[in-house]
Amino acid sequence: MAVNAAPSGEAPAGRLAGRWVPWLVIGLWVALAAVMVPLSGKLSSVTTDRAVDTLPAGAESTKVAVLEDSLPGGEDNTFVFVYHRAGGMTDADRATAERHYNTLATRYPPKVAASEDEEGPATRLSTDGKAMMFTLDVSTTYGAPEAIVGPLRDAAKDRPAGLELDVTGPAAVDGDMDAVFDGIDLQVFLTTVVVVTVLLILTYRSPVLWFIPLVVVGVAALTAMATVYLLVKGFGIVVNDQNSALLTILVFGVGTDYALLLIARYREALHHHENVRIAMVHALRGAAPAIVASAATVVAGLLCLLVADLNSTSGLGPIGAAGILCALVAMLTLFPAVLVVLGRRIFWPAIPQFSTTVEQRPGLWGRLGTAISRRRWVATLGSLGVLGVLALGLAGNTGALREQDQFLSAPESVTGFTVLRQHFPELGGQPMTIFTRPAYQERVLDIVKGTRGVAMAIPGQTTGGWADISVYPTDAPDTAAEYDTIKRVRTAVHAVIGAEAIVGGPSAENLDTEVTTSRDEQLVMPLVLAVVLIVLGLLLRAVVAPLILMATVVVSFAAAFGGSVFVFDTILGFKGIDYSVPLLAFLFLVALGVDYNIFLASRAREEAVRLGTRDGMLKALSATGGVITSAGLVLAATFAVLVSLPLVMLIEVGFLVAFGVLLDALLVRSVLVPALTLLIGRRMWWPSRLSRPVEPPDGRQSLAGDEEEPALPR
């Protein structure tokens, strides 16, 4: 079918797109980059993964960490040295362990000298005689766990042949975890660049065109990193390594999506307009509303995180929003300016040519739309059936993932905990720290010793008006049994009037994090749904369509989560779902997943004004099918970059979001939403003018069904 092209020299468009405007925009961005790019490298200097910074100030374990940090010498990093020999510890082995302890205790002296009546010797021999252990508390004044654990392991290398040693404990786990994040920002950035480059080359099959969006998105990413750095310095927002990596993924993912949508409209406009500046103005008029609505949806969803209590979660809100806004501004200003300056030749070898008549062919997506139109119920029920089967995976293992199970390949600190539990079953958990008023230390100590699940309780120093007690639970770290012990200990010590006792420690911090995250989920998830629904309503000027679109996204999320749980549990053998994954995945899949519905529905509404609901949806699917699918593949691939990292939590987030985005782009947006729209007909746009029957010229009300639904008069 041939359609007439629009005139190529409209005056208003020509005035808006003067030759000097693109160069001015590029100049302003060059000036901005000169200021912002140097700041982007400073983002890593303000990231933190300390629990005291992540947890809310009101959490009990946070109060313990703050108190520890305020005491002379600062907070302690606790390391546990576990020596073991399969045939039993020899005299030389025991002497080596004693020597190592004396050397290290001299090198890293305790904050306060131990009292004579402290229980137990410095080193401890297991009952089976095959292992020996000691605990070393190193003040944070000596450095972070990552900086200390290496020298500690090196200092203990001098030992008899056959004597094995694992340096473990809470600080060793933290150190090994920090080592995983070393250089992660650069790794994520470079891997994302490579992935996006490959996909853009495959999409455009052009030796030049792929380079432009990549450079502009890179500029947006660096600007976003600098903006986040300024936000941290100005407002004290908490940024951890996880959020820093997600920032890069978000900017590259959505920025490339926006580029694909704009290029598609620009290529279409170049067929109708000879002047490239005029063509870009028309492309922006067509694509910008959907792109802005998409960005507004994601930003609104991210800002809902500000109500979260967990600082790392609430910090992701403004961090992610800053990234999305930087991508939006760059792709609607710098990117169009560069495309206009370079002209049509940027599309070589498939350069779009201006013609007074443009041949339009149905193509793959047009044929798919026709098939869906003929089998609406089959398409609807088939899509829902696939999503329902995937959602059955939610019956799998959705339990919380322990910190020790976070590593894809278990480091020494994790294997050391296994050895510790094997030879010292009574010391299987991570130590708790209790602070109480000195006058009540003995009473609190007796109560704790009598609490079920406690293996040992040792009184510590008294300083600054507080006395501390180290408590060792019998159960494995970060298990439900250990958490129950922590809860029992807290209940017991809180009952001592006047003691003001508080319970903290690594496992207590993990427990408080899990509880806080669960509370945040109950608050943030409904808020995100409400905010995104409002944005959809304002964009589509309807009630039914936003409700339908939101329902499809929620069902898609359940299917993506269920399918991912099956993969994690059955195929990859993960031992649970990290506590942060459900909320992050929900946010990204609702806010980002609804984007593709926005791109389709906004184009369908635009076409429905001319063609009616049925033909408008089919036209929208045909026009946007290829570009939205490409955008979905790019966004899924950018999140899939996280799967390459050696941490289970990031793998889970990356896989779940990538899988969910593909479901949204390939099934929900391509089949389910068009099928539902064709079933519901013009009532999809209720209560807007598009939902009402049209009066024919003879004055009689049209009773035509959706198949012959007339367009509205313009």
Side-chain angles (χ1 to χ4, degrees), residues 16 73 88 221 226 232 240 326 331 360 380 405 442 446 503-504 507 531 535 547 641 655 657 659 670 674:
L16 288 173
V232 173
N240 57 16
C326 287
M331 303 321 291
Q360 293 183 339
T380 300
D405 297 327
E442 289 299 325
D446 291 339
V503 180
S507 288
V531 168
V535 174
L547 290 173
V641 167
F655 182 89
V657 175
F659 182 42
S670 300

Side-chain angles (χ1 to χ4, degrees), residues 291-378:
I291 292 176
V292 171
S294 167
T297 303
V298 180
V299 168
L302 284 166
L303 292 180
C304 290
L305 293 177
L306 288 172
V307 304
D309 286 333
L310 202 65
N311 292 331
S312 57
T313 301
S314 62
L316 180 59
I319 292 169
I324 298 297
L325 291 175
C326 287
L328 174 69
V329 174
M331 303 321 291
L332 291 184
T333 57
L334 178 60
F335 186 53
V338 174
L339 288 178
V340 167
V341 167
L342 295 176
R344 292 176 184 267
R345 58 185 176 274
I346 197 66
F347 290 94
W348 185 86
I351 300 175
Q353 300 297 325
F354 167 70
S355 175
T356 55
T357 59
V358 180
E359 187 71 19
Q360 293 183 339
R361 299 177 180 177
L364 171 64
W365 295 100
R367 293 193 294 272
L368 175 62
T370 301
I372 293 173
S373 179
R374 292 172 179 171
R375 298 288 186 272
R376 306 174 189 183
W377 279 108
V378 172

Side-chain angles (χ1 to χ4, degrees), residues 365-681:
W365 295 100
R367 293 193 294 272
L368 175 62
T370 301
I372 293 173
S373 179
R374 292 172 179 171
R375 298 288 186 272
R376 306 174 189 183
W377 279 108
V378 172
T380 300
L381 296 178
S383 301
L384 292 175
V386 171
L387 296 174
V389 170
L390 289 172
L392 293 176
L394 291 172
N397 179 21
T398 56
L401 187 73
R402 299 191 314 156
E403 184 179 31
Q404 286 75 25
D405 297 327
Q406 283 278 9
F407 300 93
L408 201 59
S409 178
E412 181 179 327
S413 59
V414 173
T415 58
F417 263 114
T418 303
V419 174
L420 184 66
R421 279 194 55 78
Q422 180 182 350
H423 298 288
F424 300 91
E426 72 279 9
L427 300 176
Q430 298 192 90
M432 286 179 267
T433 299
I434 299 178
F435 277 104
T436 182
R437 293 301 179 183
Y440 296 87
Q441 184 182 30
E442 289 299 325
R443 185 177 174 187
V444 170
L445 181 64
D446 291 339
I447 290 176
V448 171
K449 286 182 177 179
T451 302
R452 181 164 55 91
V454 172
M456 183 171 61
I458 303 174
Q461 65 183 13
T462 298
T463 181
W466 292 94
D468 72 80
I469 301 172
S470 296
V471 182
Y472 293 84
T474 58
D475 298 293
D478 294 324
T479 58
E482 188 198 34
Y483 286 168
D484 288 341
T485 299
I486 295 172
K487 294 174 185 177
R488 284 193 293 269
V489 169
R490 283 177 169 174
T491 301
V493 301
H494 292 168
V496 182
I497 306 300
E500 301 180 35
I502 49 177
V503 180
S507 288
E509 291 169 353
N510 294 337
L511 171 61
D512 289 342
T513 299
E514 187 175 312
V515 171
T516 304
T517 301
S518 178
R519 186 167 58 244
D520 288 344
E521 288 177 0
Q522 298 174 18
L523 182 62
V524 172
M525 286 183 175
L527 185 59
V528 169
L529 288 175
V531 168
V532 172
L533 188 63
I534 291 172
V535 174
L536 283 174
L538 294 175
L539 171 68
L540 301 176
R541 286 162 282 176
V543 172
V544 174
L547 290 173
I548 295 295
L549 296 181
M550 282 302 302
T552 62
V553 170
V554 171
V555 172
S556 177
F557 168 73
F561 205 155
S564 298
V565 168
F566 175 80
V567 172
F568 299 154
D569 187 17
T570 306
I571 299 176
L572 299 179
F574 294 162
K575 297 180 180 179
I577 305 295
D578 184 79
Y579 65 86
S580 64
V581 169
L583 181 56
L584 288 177
F586 179 85
L587 173 68
F588 291 140
L589 288 181
V590 170
L592 294 175
V594 82
D595 278 2
Y596 304 115
N597 287 335
I598 287 177
F599 299 147
L600 177 65
S602 61
R603 182 65 180 263
R605 193 185 192 286
E606 175 186 335
E607 299 292 346
V609 174
R610 297 187 302 109
L611 306 174
T613 299
R614 174 191 175 278
D615 291 340
M617 173 53 73
L618 297 181
K619 168 67 175 178
L621 181 61
S622 177
T624 65
V627 65
I628 294 180
T629 300
S630 299
L633 291 174
V634 170
L635 185 60
T638 54
F639 270 95
V641 167
L642 296 176
V643 177
S644 66
L645 302 177
L647 204 63
V648 171
M649 182 274 295
L650 293 177
I651 293 174
E652 290 181 340
V653 171
F655 182 89
L656 205 167
V657 175
F659 182 42
V661 167
L662 289 177
L663 273 181
D664 278 323
L666 300 179
L667 180 62
V668 175
R669 183 271 316 174
S670 300
V671 180
L672 182 57
V673 170
L676 287 172
T677 302
L678 294 175
L679 281 174
I680 297 172

